[in-house]
């Protein structure tokens, strides 16, 4: 009798094969209003809009500094290195303030020589970017950067052994063709190019 009771208990604990499995809760569709009530989605959208807004503002100010005279005599700003220095000092001060505010250590975790090459090349690239704004517009400059996708993919494959799908190469090729058409057919000059 005791054995029969245990078998009955096993039967009640084991689900039948015909019983449907409980379905996991489904996330709301991005096309529904409920989706945008999630605080994580609201934060993501806020961060995205803020970031893109500041990038656009940064681009407008960059081009304005290099192409619009700053006095009545038509004097143009010519010292790009000074702009890069100011940019880097302000960025470093902001980083130190944020680290201090969050209670994190200000001393770099890696030795400075390990990232000094990247820092130098980034500063040099920014200097070249400011100098280029004297001759071409900011949108042209930004679109020109898109042309580096295919060489980066090729070098990544050769040196790092990365594998890209045919779709990735196709998208990079189409983007490069679109940028090339814009550069060949559109007005690319700065409004105050010398």
């Amino acid at each position: 009798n005791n054995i029969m009771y245990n078998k009955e208990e096993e039967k009640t604990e084991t689900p039948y094969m015909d019983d449907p499995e409980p379905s996991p809760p489904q996330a709301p569709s991005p096309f529904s209003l409920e989706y945008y009530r999630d605080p994580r989605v609201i934060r993501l959208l806020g961060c995205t809009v803020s970031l893109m807004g500041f990038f656009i503002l940064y681009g407008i100010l960059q081009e304005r500094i290099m192409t619009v005279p700053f006095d009545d005599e038509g004097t143009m700003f010519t010292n790009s290195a000074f702009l890069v220095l100011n940019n880097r000092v302000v960025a470093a001060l902001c980083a130190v303030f944020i680290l201090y505010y969050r209670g994190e250590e200000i001393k770099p975790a890696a030795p400075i020589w390990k990232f000094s090459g990247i820092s130098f090349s980034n500063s040099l690239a920014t200097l070249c970017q400011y100098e280029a704004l004297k001759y071409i517009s900011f949108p042209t400059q930004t679109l020109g950067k898109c042309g580096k996708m295919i060489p980066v993919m090729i070098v990544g494959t050769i040196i790092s052994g990365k594998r890209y799908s045919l779709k990735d190469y196709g998208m990079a090729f189409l983007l490069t063709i679109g940028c090339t058409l814009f550069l060949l057919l559109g007005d690319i000059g700065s409004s105050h190019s010398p």
Side-chain angles (χ1 to χ4, degrees):
N1 195 12
N2 212 5
I3 295 172
M4 284 295 258
Y5 175 75
N6 286 339
K7 284 185 179 178
E8 288 295 321
E9 188 177 313
E10 282 180 22
K11 282 184 182 178
T12 58
E13 289 179 4
T14 308
Y16 292 103
M17 296 299 258
D18 296 336
D19 285 348
E21 291 185 22
S23 59
Q26 291 196 340
S29 166
F31 300 108
S32 70
L33 195 57
E34 183 182 331
Y35 181 79
Y36 296 98
R37 291 188 180 135
D38 185 350
R40 295 174 300 173
V41 172
I42 293 170
R43 184 174 182 191
L44 176 65
L45 288 174
C47 290
T48 303
V49 168
S50 299
L51 186 65
M52 295 309 292
F54 279 111
F55 276 142
I56 291 169
L57 180 64
Y58 181 67
I60 290 169
L61 292 176
Q62 263 188 333
E63 187 170 14
R64 186 170 174 82
I65 287 171
M66 297 309 290
T67 60
V68 176
F70 61 87
D71 63 6
D72 293 335
E73 298 172 10
T75 309
M76 303 294 286
F77 193 88
T78 57
N79 196 342
S80 300
F82 180 72
L83 284 176
V84 174
L85 175 67
N86 280 319
N87 184 307
R88 298 306 185 254
V89 168
V90 169
L93 289 174
C94 286
V96 167
F97 173 75
I98 290 169
L99 288 172
Y100 177 77
Y101 178 77
R102 294 176 65 176
E104 297 180 20
E105 191 168 343
I106 294 174
K107 182 182 173 198
I112 290 179
W113 66 268
K114 286 195 173 185
F115 54 86
S116 60
I118 296 169
S119 176
F120 176 75
S121 66
N122 181 271
S123 296
L124 185 62
T126 305
L127 178 66
C128 293
Q129 180 178 334
Y130 277 113
E131 284 297 316
L133 285 174
K134 294 177 183 175
Y135 305 99
I136 60 173
S137 67
F138 185 78
T140 302
Q141 185 184 81
T142 304
L143 284 171
K145 292 178 188 178
C146 296
K148 68 183 178 185
M149 289 177 68
I150 292 178
V152 166
M153 292 171 81
I154 292 170
V155 170
T157 301
I158 293 170
I159 294 177
S160 303
K162 283 185 135 186
R163 298 285 174 226
Y164 297 98
S165 68
L166 193 58
K167 180 182 174 185
D168 291 334
Y169 279 111
M171 288 173 59
F173 179 74
L174 289 175
L175 188 60
T176 303
I177 292 295
C179 292
T180 304
L181 288 174
F182 175 82
L183 295 175
L184 292 175
L185 303 175
D187 180 19
I188 62 171
S190 171
S191 55
H192 295 290
S193 58

